[in-house]
Amino acid sequence: MLITKENLGDGVRRLAAELSSAYQDGVVLVAVLKGSVLFLADLIRALTIVPEVDFLAISSYGEGSGRVRIVKDIDVDIAGRHVVLVEDIVDTGLTLTYVLGELARRGPGSLEVCALLDKAARRIAPLALRFTGFRVGDEFVLGYGLDYAGYYRNLDLVAVGDLGTLREDPRAYVDGLYAGPS
Ligand code: 5GP
């Protein structure tokens, strides 16, 4: 295990406090589906401001290629608005660079990133992450929104998985990470 439920809660509350004080005049939170959903749900419940929330879904052409396209766009007109993109994890930064470029073309008043996890060691595209929860190393992580082949997304902790093991058996960590009925 890398980040416990308690530590995740502390990190999310800290980010919510930072956002609440930075955006007293309002903010549009744009979450990238699907990985950011657990983070977003906890984040907005800890805010002391009222955010507008919208979602974006992207599909990538290949792992780490940075070639992505928007498959579900936001409905809110963000022109002139303060916008924060909510992401589960920033790895190479290529996905985020594309999404930020798309949103920037729509003329927001400001555009920042709030990322739960920052895998800074693997960054290819230089990015300024204004709000970050935790730094993680060059490891494949699972849980709290992050999946492998659809598994592990609904865990309330973040754990490290071995990619070789997962490729062989996507369910390899299911018994260990999902506590059975007690
Ligand atoms: P980037 O374009 O920054 O390399 O990739 C970002 C996306 O790749 C994330 O939104 C996430 O979907 C996926 N990703 C990157 N690192 C990890 C990881 O350690 N675990 C999981 N489950 N997904 C990851």
Side-chain angles (χ1 to χ4, degrees):
M1 191 192 299
L2 188 64
I3 311 174
T4 63
K5 179 181 179 179
E6 289 70 29
N7 287 339
L8 282 170
D10 290 344
V12 171
R13 279 188 290 277
R14 173 177 57 79
L15 289 171
E18 288 176 24
L19 290 170
S20 298
S21 87
Y23 296 103
Q24 308 232 342
D25 296 334
V27 66
V28 183
L29 299 179
V30 176
V32 183
L33 294 170
K34 305 173 186 168
S36 305
V37 166
L38 276 76
F39 174 39
L40 177 82
D42 287 340
L43 185 69
I44 60 176
R45 278 180 290 190
L47 291 173
T48 54
I49 53 168
V50 182
E52 198 162 339
V53 175
D54 209 340
F55 296 94
L56 192 72
I58 52 178
S59 128
S60 82
Y61 292 97
E63 218 174 281
S65 70
R67 293 182 57 211
V68 290
R69 68 196 162 90
I70 292 179
V71 294
K72 186 242 170 273
D73 207 339
I74 52 173
D75 301 315
V76 178
D77 177 7
I78 58 169
R81 307 282 304 274
H82 293 302
V83 176
V84 175
L85 193 65
V86 176
E87 254 290 31
D88 47 5
I89 187 164
V90 185
D91 183 10
T92 62
L94 294 171
T95 308
L96 204 56
T97 300
Y98 169 79
V99 174
L100 286 171
E102 286 295 309
L103 295 180
R105 287 201 291 124
R106 303 169 191 189
S110 69
L111 180 58
E112 302 285 355
V113 177
C114 177
L116 179 70
L117 305 176
D118 179 8
K119 212 192 271 188
R122 286 192 19 109
R123 196 66 35 81
I124 292 173
L127 275 175
L129 305 181
R130 168 127 182 238
F131 307 96
T132 46
F134 303 87
R135 237 187 209 216
V136 294
D138 184 1
E139 301 164 306
F140 190 77
V141 292
L142 301 162
Y144 201 63
L146 292 160
D147 76 314
Y148 184 87
Y151 296 103
Y152 314 105
R153 206 190 284 288
N154 60 330
L155 291 170
D156 56 9
L157 52 84
V158 171
V160 177
D162 176 64
L163 263 180
T165 305
L166 286 164
R167 281 188 191 116
E168 238 167 69
D169 176 13
R171 303 184 76 261
Y173 302 108
V174 166
D175 287 346
L177 290 173
Y178 287 89
S182 49

